[in-house]
Amino acid sequence: MAELLLKVQKREKLADQLYGQILEQIVSGNLGEGTKLPSENEICASFGVSRPVVREALRKLQSDGLVYARQGVGSFVKKRPPQGLIEFGGVNDVAGLLRCFEARLAIEGATARMAAERASVRHHRDIENALSRLENSVAAGDIADKADFDFHMAIARASGNEIFLTILNSLHGVMQKSMNVALNITRAGSAERAKRVLAEHRQIYDAILGRDGESAELMMRYHLHQARQRLTDHAREM
Amino acid sequence: MAELLLKVQKREKLADQLYGQILEQIVSGNLGEGTKLPSENEICASFGVSRPVVREALRKLQSDGLVYARQGVGSFVKKRPPQGLIEFGGVNDVAGLLRCFEARLAIEGATARMAAERASVRHHRDIENALSRLENSVAAGDIADKADFDFHMAIARASGNEIFLTILNSLHGVMQKSMNVALNITRAGSAERAKRVLAEHRQIYDAILGRDGESAELMMRYHLHQARQRLTDHAREM
Amino acid sequence: MAELLLKVQKREKLADQLYGQILEQIVSGNLGEGTKLPSENEICASFGVSRPVVREALRKLQSDGLVYARQGVGSFVKKRPPQGLIEFGGVNDVAGLLRCFEARLAIEGATARMAAERASVRHHRDIENALSRLENSVAAGDIADKADFDFHMAIARASGNEIFLTILNSLHGVMQKSMNVALNITRAGSAERAKRVLAEHRQIYDAILGRDGESAELMMRYHLHQARQRLTDHAREM
Amino acid sequence: MAELLLKVQKREKLADQLYGQILEQIVSGNLGEGTKLPSENEICASFGVSRPVVREALRKLQSDGLVYARQGVGSFVKKRPPQGLIEFGGVNDVAGLLRCFEARLAIEGATARMAAERASVRHHRDIENALSRLENSVAAGDIADKADFDFHMAIARASGNEIFLTILNSLHGVMQKSMNVALNITRAGSAERAKRVLAEHRQIYDAILGRDGESAELMMRYHLHQARQRLTDHAREM
C-alpha cells in the first residue's frame, strides 16, 4: 500500500501544480469569469500531463467553487479570486490551502462543540487571551497569524481530547500559512471586512463561554466557510 | 506554548494511567455497577496524584459513559465493560483507544460523505476489496485489523482530500490497536455480533456506491458509535 | 400565492399517482431490476399527462432510490420494493409515505436530541411505556402502529417544544399509515428483522435515558433511515 | 391521549404567560442583568401558580438564554432583550415566538439543503423575487414580513417535498409574527444591522443557486440563529 500511496501523492502533486497554473490565469483575468476553459485534450497537450492529472485538477477547481462543468459542453470559470490569493499564497500551494479548510470544517466543528461542553475556566482564559491578541493586532494593522492559530489551538485544547491537538499540530504549517494569506487579504480590504473577521471569532468564543455546544459548532463552521470564501471570491466583501 | 503543551500532556498521561487503574477495578467487578467511587480526596491519597489529575480521570470516565456523577454526592459506576477491553487493550492504553473513536466520528463522518460524492470507479473497487478481505477474515475466525484499517483508509482516499489521509495515517497506531481489540472481543462474542459488525461496514460501502453522501455519513457515524459501545458495554450484544 | 400553491399541489397529486403506477409495475416485476423505463414522451402519451408531471414523478422515484438516470440515455429500475409496500400502502399513497420519512428525519432528529437534554422522569416513563407496548405487540404478532406512533409522540413531548408536537400531530395520518405498512411488512419477514426493529427503538430510548443528545439524534436518524429502506428494498433483511 | 395533550397544553399556556411576565420585568430593567430571581416558592405564591408551572417557565427562560441557573443557589438574569421584543411581540406571545425559531432551525436547515440539490430554474426565480421584494422594502423603511415569509416558503417549495410546505403553512401565524417583530426591531436599529439581515438572506440564496447543499443548510441555520439572537440580545448589533 505504501507504494500506491506514493503514486497517488505524486499524481496529486502534479494535479495541484496544474490547479495553480490554471488558477493563476483566472486570477490575472487572462481567463475571465464565464470563459470556457480549453478541453481536457488541449490541457493534456499544453501542460504535458496525463488525462487523470487534468481531471483531478479540474475536479478540485470545481469542488473549490472556482470552475463549473456543463455536461457535454466543458468547464467554465465561475469566479475570480482576489489577487492576494496567489500573491501571498504562491501558485503551487493554493490548492493545499483550500483543501485545508475542508478538513478543518470537520475537525474544528467538533472541537468547538466539545470545548463549549467541557472547557474549564482556565481554558476560557486561554481562548480569550488569544482572541485579545488577535483583536489588538488587527487594530494595529499587523498580520496576526500566530494569534489566530493560538485561538484555534486553545479551543482544540479545551475539547479535552488531545488527539485533536495532535491533528491540528500536524496541520500547523498549512493552517498558519492560510491564516497569513487570509489576514494579508483582509488587511488590504475594507475596515468593515476586518470587523467581520473579528466578529466571527468573538461569536465562537461567546458560544463556548455560554456552554452552548450547538451554537459553538455552528459559529465555527460559519467562520471557516466564510474564511474560505474570502480567499476565493474577489467580489465578496463580507 | 511548546512547554505548556508538554505539561498538559504529562498531566493527561497521569490521568490516563489513573483512568486505566479505575477501569480495571470496574472490569474486574471489584467496583460493581451502581457502586460509589471513593471521594476525590481519597483517590488523591491512594494514588499519590494531584486533584487536577483525579478530576481529569473522572471527567474522562464520565465522558466515556463508564461513570456518572451526582451533583454533591459523588461518582458512581455506570456500566461494566467486557473483560477483553483490558485483556486486549492494556490498562494504560484504554483511555486513548476510546478517545480515538471521538476524533474518528468527526473525521470519518466527513470522509464517508465526500467519498460518496466524489469516488471514482477505481476507488469503489479499492473499498470493496478491503471489505471482502474483512469479511473473509471474520468468517475464518481471524483478526482482520489490517483489512479493517485498509477499508477506512480507502474511504479517506476516495474523499479526494489528501489531508484526511495524512490525519488517519498519523492515527494509524491507535486506530489499528482499537480495531484489534474490538475484533478480538467480537471473535469471542456471538456469531450474530460478528454479522452485525460486517453489516455495518457493508452499509457504509452501499451508501458510497449509491453516491448518497448523507447516508454514507450517517452509516459511518452509526458504525463508529456502535464500535465504541461494543468496547465499553459488557451487556451489549449488537 | 394561494392559487399558485393549489396548482402546484394538483400537479404533485397527478405526479404521485403516476409515481404509484410506475412503482406498481416495478413491484410486480413487470419492470425488472435494471430495465429501462419508457421515454418521457412515451409516458406522457400512455398516461395522458403533461411532461412536467412525468418529470416530477421520475424525479421522485429517483430521490426515493427506486430508479436511477443515466445522462442522455434514460431512466432505469434500481431496486424492487417488497410486495407489501403496494399491498398495504396502496398505489396512490406510496409516494407520500416515502416523502414523510424525509420530513421526519429532519424533525425527529431534533426532537430526540432535545428529549435527551430536557426530558423529565415522567417523560422517560411515558416513552418507556410506549416502547413496552410496542415490544409486547410485536412479540404477539400484532400490528402496533398506535404504540409506535405514541413512542415517537412521547419523544416529541419530551423535547419541551410544543411546536414539534403540533407538527407531528398534523402528520398523524400519514405517519401511522407508514408505520402500519412497515409493521405489516416486518410481520411477514424474519424473526431477526422484527428483533432489529425493536432494537432500533430501544437504542433511541437508551440514548435519551442516558441524556446523550448526540447519540439520541444519531440513533433516531439511523432508525428512520432503516425504516424507509425496509419499505423500498426487497432484498434488505435488516 | 387527547386529554393528556390538553392538560399539557394548559400547563404550557400558563407557563408561557408566567414566562412573559418575568420577561417583561427583565426588559423593563426592573430585574437587571445578573440579578437573582425570586425563589420558586416565592414565584408560586406571587403568581398563584403551581410549582410545575414555575419550573416550566424557568426552564424555558433558561433554554432561551435569558436566565441561567446556579445549582443550589437560584436563577439569575443573563441578558436584557431589546424593548421592542415586548413592545412588538406582546407579553404573552414571546415564549411561542422564540420556540418557533428552534423548530425552524431543524426544518429549514433541511429545506435549504434540499432546495440547493433539487431546485428548478423556476424555483430559483421565485426565491429571487421574494428576496428582491425583501431588499426593496427594507431599503424603503417598510416592514417586509410578507416578503420574508414568501422567501422561506419559496425555499420550502423548492425542496420538492410538499410536507415541508404544509408544516410551514401551519406555522404561518407565528412565523410571520416573529418576522414582523424582528423587522420592527431591525428598522429601529442601525443601517449596518439592516445590511446584515439582508446579507444573511442573500447568502442562503447564493448557496441554493450554486447548488451547494451543505452551504445552504449552514447559511440557513446561521441566519435563524442570528435572527433569534437579535430578538433576545439588547447589546447585539450584528
Side-chain angles (χ1 to χ4, degrees):
Chain A
M1 198 174 65
E3 201 193 20
L4 175 68
L5 190 62
L6 203 72
K7 271 200 224 132
V8 168
Q9 284 180 337
K10 191 166 163 239
R11 197 183 71 210
E12 269 159 4
K13 212 117 196 228
L14 271 175
D16 276 0
Q17 283 172 24
L18 179 54
Y19 175 107
Q21 309 272 336
I22 298 175
L23 181 63
E24 199 172 22
Q25 307 223 15
I26 297 175
V27 169
S28 72
N30 222 14
L31 289 167
E33 282 183 41
T35 307
K36 187 169 174 309
L37 296 187
S39 72
E40 289 189 5
N41 280 333
E42 290 167 329
I43 301 179
C44 287
S46 32
F47 287 91
V49 289
S50 68
R51 188 177 281 260
V53 169
V54 174
R55 287 207 177 131
E56 179 84 7
L58 289 178
R59 204 182 50 65
K60 288 188 170 182
L61 284 162
Q62 216 177 309
S63 74
D64 286 341
L66 302 168
V67 152
Y68 65 95
R70 282 174 50 198
Q71 193 86 16
V73 185
S75 296
F76 296 80
V77 176
K78 193 164 169 189
K79 60 184 179 191
R80 178 180 172 185
Q83 183 61 39
L85 177 59
I86 291 225
E87 190 181 324
F88 304 119
V91 169
N92 291 331
D93 292 344
V94 166
L97 293 187
L98 296 179
R99 207 84 1 98
C100 182
F101 279 101
E102 193 172 76
R104 288 177 63 196
L105 214 64
I107 296 159
E108 297 200 63
T111 58
R113 179 168 41 75
M114 290 174 201
E117 290 161 358
R118 304 175 184 170
S120 66
V121 172
R122 187 183 160 165
H123 288 133
H124 286 161
R125 216 174 41 217
D126 289 349
I127 302 171
E128 190 167 27
N129 280 345
L131 180 56
S132 298
R133 281 190 290 128
L134 179 63
E135 289 174 338
N136 293 336
S137 298
V138 170
D142 292 342
I143 299 303
D145 51 352
K146 171 101 177 56
D148 199 348
F149 184 72
D150 289 351
F151 176 80
H152 289 271
M153 285 300 273
I155 291 172
R157 199 170 295 117
S159 79
N161 186 333
E162 58 273 27
I163 291 179
F164 288 119
L165 217 54
T166 310
I167 291 173
L168 291 194
N169 256 327
S170 79
L171 298 178
H172 185 170
V174 66
M175 270 178 73
Q176 199 156 334
K177 175 81 185 274
S178 73
M179 288 163 172
N180 184 287
V181 176
L183 290 164
N184 262 297
I185 295 178
T186 294
R187 185 167 63 169
S190 66
E192 197 181 328
R193 184 171 173 150
K195 215 175 130 188
R196 286 299 310 150
V197 171
L198 294 179
E200 286 169 20
H201 283 88
R202 188 151 282 278
Q203 285 178 338
I204 299 168
Y205 175 60
D206 283 348
I208 292 174
L209 198 66
R211 302 209 166 282
D212 183 343
E214 207 184 342
S215 290
E217 179 168 2
L218 178 59
M219 292 301 150
M220 177 63 90
R221 289 178 68 90
Y222 179 77
H223 164 56
L224 292 172
H225 187 277
Q226 295 298 92
R228 197 176 181 292
Q229 284 248 15
R230 281 187 289 261
L231 280 191
T232 56
D233 198 343
H234 190 59
R236 185 80 34 174
E237 259 303 312
M238 273 162 310
Chain B
M1 198 174 61
E3 202 193 18
L4 175 67
L5 190 61
L6 203 71
K7 268 199 226 134
V8 168
Q9 285 179 337
K10 197 177 155 225
R11 196 183 71 212
E12 270 161 3
K13 213 119 195 222
L14 271 176
D16 276 1
Q17 285 173 23
L18 178 55
Y19 175 107
Q21 309 273 336
I22 298 174
L23 181 63
E24 199 171 23
Q25 309 223 12
I26 298 176
V27 169
S28 71
N30 222 14
L31 289 167
E33 282 183 42
T35 308
K36 190 172 172 302
L37 296 187
S39 72
E40 289 187 6
N41 279 334
E42 290 167 331
I43 300 179
C44 287
S46 30
F47 287 90
V49 290
S50 69
R51 187 177 283 260
V53 169
V54 174
R55 289 210 174 128
E56 181 83 7
L58 289 177
R59 203 182 53 64
K60 288 188 169 183
L61 284 162
Q62 217 178 307
S63 75
D64 286 342
L66 301 169
V67 150
Y68 65 94
R70 283 175 49 198
Q71 194 85 20
V73 184
S75 296
F76 296 79
V77 176
K78 195 165 168 186
K79 61 183 176 190
R80 179 180 171 186
Q83 183 64 35
L85 178 59
I86 291 221
E87 191 182 324
F88 304 119
V91 169
N92 291 331
D93 292 345
V94 166
L97 293 187
L98 296 179
R99 208 84 1 96
C100 182
F101 279 101
E102 192 171 78
R104 290 177 62 196
L105 213 65
I107 295 159
E108 296 200 64
T111 59
R113 180 168 39 75
M114 291 174 201
E117 291 161 358
R118 304 176 184 169
S120 67
V121 172
R122 186 184 161 164
H123 288 133
H124 286 160
R125 216 175 39 220
D126 289 348
I127 302 172
E128 190 168 26
N129 281 343
L131 180 56
S132 298
R133 283 190 288 130
L134 180 63
E135 290 173 338
N136 293 337
S137 298
V138 170
D142 292 343
I143 298 303
D145 52 352
K146 171 103 177 52
D148 199 349
F149 183 72
D150 289 351
F151 176 79
H152 289 271
M153 285 301 274
I155 292 173
R157 200 172 294 118
S159 79
N161 186 333
E162 58 274 28
I163 292 179
F164 288 118
L165 218 53
T166 309
I167 291 173
L168 290 194
N169 256 326
S170 80
L171 299 179
H172 185 170
V174 66
M175 270 177 73
Q176 200 156 335
K177 174 80 185 272
S178 72
M179 288 163 172
N180 183 288
V181 177
L183 289 164
N184 263 296
I185 295 178
T186 293
R187 186 169 58 169
S190 67
E192 197 182 329
R193 184 171 175 150
K195 213 174 133 189
R196 285 300 309 150
V197 170
L198 294 179
E200 286 170 21
H201 283 89
R202 188 150 283 277
Q203 285 178 337
I204 299 169
Y205 175 60
D206 283 347
I208 291 173
L209 198 67
R211 302 212 167 280
D212 182 342
E214 208 183 342
S215 289
E217 179 169 3
L218 178 59
M219 292 302 150
M220 177 62 91
R221 291 177 67 90
Y222 179 78
H223 165 56
L224 292 172
H225 188 278
Q226 295 300 91
R228 196 177 182 291
Q229 283 247 15
R230 282 187 287 262
L231 281 191
T232 56
D233 200 342
H234 190 60
R236 184 84 33 178
E237 258 304 311
M238 276 160 308
Chain C
M1 199 174 61
E3 203 194 19
L4 175 67
L5 190 61
L6 203 71
K7 271 199 226 131
V8 169
Q9 284 178 338
K10 196 173 156 232
R11 197 183 69 214
E12 270 161 4
K13 209 112 198 233
L14 272 175
D16 275 2
Q17 283 172 25
L18 178 54
Y19 175 108
Q21 309 273 336
I22 298 174
L23 181 63
E24 200 172 22
Q25 308 223 14
I26 298 176
V27 169
S28 72
N30 221 13
L31 290 166
E33 282 184 41
T35 307
K36 188 172 172 306
L37 297 185
S39 72
E40 288 188 6
N41 280 332
E42 291 167 328
I43 301 179
C44 287
S46 32
F47 288 90
V49 290
S50 68
R51 186 176 283 262
V53 169
V54 175
R55 288 210 175 128
E56 181 82 8
L58 290 177
R59 201 182 53 63
K60 287 188 170 183
L61 283 162
Q62 216 178 309
S63 75
D64 286 341
L66 301 168
V67 150
Y68 65 94
R70 282 176 47 199
Q71 195 86 20
V73 184
S75 296
F76 297 80
V77 176
K78 195 166 169 186
K79 61 182 176 191
R80 178 179 173 187
Q83 183 63 36
L85 177 59
I86 291 221
E87 189 182 323
F88 305 118
V91 169
N92 291 330
D93 292 345
V94 166
L97 293 187
L98 296 179
R99 208 83 2 96
C100 182
F101 279 101
E102 192 172 77
R104 289 178 63 196
L105 213 65
I107 295 160
E108 297 200 64
T111 58
R113 180 168 39 75
M114 290 174 202
E117 290 161 359
R118 303 175 185 170
S120 66
V121 172
R122 188 185 159 163
H123 289 133
H124 287 160
R125 217 175 38 218
D126 289 349
I127 302 171
E128 190 168 25
N129 280 344
L131 180 55
S132 299
R133 282 190 289 130
L134 180 63
E135 290 173 340
N136 293 336
S137 299
V138 170
D142 292 341
I143 299 303
D145 50 352
K146 170 99 177 56
D148 199 348
F149 184 71
D150 289 352
F151 176 80
H152 290 271
M153 284 301 274
I155 291 172
R157 199 171 295 117
S159 79
N161 185 333
E162 58 273 28
I163 291 179
F164 288 119
L165 217 53
T166 309
I167 291 173
L168 291 194
N169 257 326
S170 79
L171 298 179
H172 185 170
V174 66
M175 270 177 73
Q176 199 157 335
K177 174 82 185 274
S178 73
M179 288 163 172
N180 184 288
V181 177
L183 290 163
N184 263 298
I185 295 178
T186 294
R187 187 169 57 170
S190 66
E192 197 182 328
R193 183 170 175 152
K195 213 174 134 191
R196 284 300 309 149
V197 170
L198 294 178
E200 286 170 21
H201 283 89
R202 187 151 285 277
Q203 285 177 338
I204 298 169
Y205 175 61
D206 283 348
I208 291 174
L209 198 68
R211 303 210 165 282
D212 183 343
E214 208 183 342
S215 290
E217 180 169 2
L218 178 59
M219 292 303 151
M220 176 63 90
R221 291 177 66 92
Y222 179 77
H223 164 56
L224 292 172
H225 188 278
Q226 295 298 91
R228 197 176 180 292
Q229 283 247 16
R230 281 187 288 259
L231 281 191
T232 56
D233 199 342
H234 190 60
R236 184 82 35 175
E237 259 304 311
M238 272 162 308
Chain D
M1 199 175 64
E3 202 193 21
L4 174 69
L5 191 61
L6 203 73
K7 271 200 224 132
V8 169
Q9 285 179 337
K10 198 176 155 227
R11 196 182 73 212
E12 269 160 4
K13 211 118 199 225
L14 271 176
D16 276 1
Q17 284 172 26
L18 179 55
Y19 175 107
Q21 309 272 336
I22 298 174
L23 180 64
E24 199 171 23
Q25 308 223 13
I26 298 176
V27 169
S28 71
N30 221 15
L31 289 166
E33 282 182 41
T35 308
K36 189 172 173 304
L37 296 187
S39 72
E40 287 188 8
N41 280 333
E42 289 167 331
I43 300 179
C44 286
S46 31
F47 287 90
V49 290
S50 68
R51 188 178 281 261
V53 170
V54 174
R55 287 208 177 130
E56 180 83 7
L58 289 178
R59 203 183 51 66
K60 288 189 169 183
L61 284 162
Q62 218 178 306
S63 75
D64 286 341
L66 301 168
V67 151
Y68 64 95
R70 283 174 50 198
Q71 192 87 16
V73 185
S75 296
F76 296 80
V77 177
K78 194 164 167 188
K79 61 185 176 189
R80 180 180 170 183
Q83 182 64 36
L85 177 58
I86 291 226
E87 191 182 323
F88 304 119
V91 169
N92 291 331
D93 293 345
V94 166
L97 293 187
L98 296 179
R99 208 82 3 96
C100 182
F101 278 101
E102 193 172 76
R104 290 177 62 196
L105 214 64
I107 296 159
E108 297 200 64
T111 58
R113 180 167 41 74
M114 291 173 200
E117 290 161 359
R118 306 175 183 170
S120 66
V121 173
R122 186 184 161 164
H123 288 134
H124 286 159
R125 215 175 40 218
D126 288 350
I127 302 172
E128 190 167 28
N129 280 344
L131 180 56
S132 299
R133 283 190 289 130
L134 180 63
E135 290 174 338
N136 293 337
S137 299
V138 170
D142 292 341
I143 299 303
D145 50 354
K146 170 102 178 53
D148 199 349
F149 184 72
D150 289 351
F151 176 80
H152 289 272
M153 284 300 275
I155 291 172
R157 199 171 295 119
S159 78
N161 185 333
E162 57 275 27
I163 292 179
F164 288 119
L165 219 52
T166 309
I167 291 174
L168 290 194
N169 257 326
S170 78
L171 298 179
H172 185 173
V174 65
M175 270 178 74
Q176 198 156 335
K177 174 81 185 273
S178 74
M179 288 163 172
N180 183 287
V181 176
L183 290 163
N184 262 297
I185 295 178
T186 294
R187 185 167 62 169
S190 67
E192 196 182 329
R193 184 171 173 151
K195 214 174 130 188
R196 286 299 309 148
V197 170
L198 294 179
E200 285 170 20
H201 283 90
R202 188 151 281 281
Q203 285 177 339
I204 298 168
Y205 175 60
D206 283 348
I208 291 173
L209 198 66
R211 302 211 166 282
D212 182 343
E214 207 184 343
S215 289
E217 179 169 3
L218 177 60
M219 291 302 150
M220 177 62 91
R221 290 177 66 91
Y222 179 78
H223 165 56
L224 291 172
H225 188 278
Q226 294 299 91
R228 197 175 181 292
Q229 283 247 15
R230 282 187 288 261
L231 281 190
T232 56
D233 199 343
H234 190 60
R236 183 81 33 173
E237 260 303 313
M238 272 161 311

